[in-house]
Amino acid sequence: MLAWLLDTFSGFPGIFLVCALCGLAVFVPEDVAVIFAGVQVSLDLVDLGPALIAAYFGILTRDIVGWTIGRVFGGWILSRSLVQRVLGAERLARAAGIIETRGSAAVLVGRGLVGMRLPVFIMAGASGIPLAQFVLWDILGLLVTTPLLVGIGAFAGAPAIDLAGSLLEQFGWVPV
């Protein structure tokens, strides 16, 4: 997987695109996409600071797209069988519960739950959480997770991608 990512998406535009598309159009978990940015740093393909910024804004863009899908299409999209299969009906129900109990802070909680991010972000939009509150909580979470995961990729290098993918698959957080 790493060879394909590096061949297809390299440099800052590649990092931004992989992070922006992960979970939406490319079935690569966000964690692997952000570690990918760090791997590019470890291979001296990009500098650390700009890699962090590209990953950060790529993920923030993807998160806002998820929120927008929820806001615009709301219950209609959530009731589609394809969406329920892809995101998981159980995950959507759990995401709704998190939003119900935690309000806009659920965005920060959802950021820390692998496999629940996109469902929580879509539910946040569908439940009427204002965009400004959504972005505030998302930014707070990204300030922790993005440097941590980019750092793991930069420190461990290419094996970090394979290890992250294996761990996520082993715990059932990504489709096998």
Side-chain angles (χ1 to χ4, degrees):
M1 172 165 50
L2 177 62
W4 177 80
L5 283 172
L6 288 171
D7 288 343
T8 308
F9 303 99
S10 61
F12 307 116
I15 291 170
F16 177 86
L17 281 173
V18 169
C19 290
L21 295 175
C22 64
L24 285 174
V26 177
F27 293 110
V28 173
E30 173 184 313
D31 305 289
V32 174
V34 180
I35 290 171
F36 162 73
V39 170
Q40 288 203 17
V41 171
S42 76
L43 297 173
D44 291 326
L45 299 174
V46 294
D47 293 327
L48 178 62
L52 278 168
I53 292 168
Y56 182 83
F57 282 106
I59 294 167
L60 183 61
T61 299
R62 188 278 321 266
D63 295 349
I64 291 172
V65 168
W67 177 90
T68 303
I69 289 169
R71 176 68 104 195
V72 172
F73 298 107
W76 178 83
I77 196 165
L78 296 171
S79 66
R80 302 292 129 213
S81 62
L82 176 63
V83 172
Q84 290 185 8
R85 272 194 313 257
V86 170
L87 294 180
E90 182 181 312
R91 283 184 183 157
L92 290 170
R94 283 181 42 206
I98 292 169
I99 296 286
E100 210 172 283
T101 59
R102 301 213 189 316
S104 59
V107 175
L108 182 61
V109 173
R111 166 125 318 280
L113 300 173
V114 177
M116 288 294 296
R117 291 179 187 122
L118 192 57
V120 167
F121 300 159
I122 290 172
M123 282 294 185
S127 68
I129 291 176
L131 180 60
Q133 286 181 9
F134 174 83
V135 169
L136 172 70
W137 287 104
D138 197 33
I139 286 173
L140 288 174
L142 286 170
L143 287 173
V144 173
T145 59
T146 305
L148 178 69
L149 293 172
V150 170
I152 289 170
F155 178 74
I161 294 262
D162 297 328
L163 178 62
S166 297
L167 287 172
L168 291 171
E169 284 178 11
Q170 182 179 0
F171 289 105
W173 290 327
V174 293
V176 179

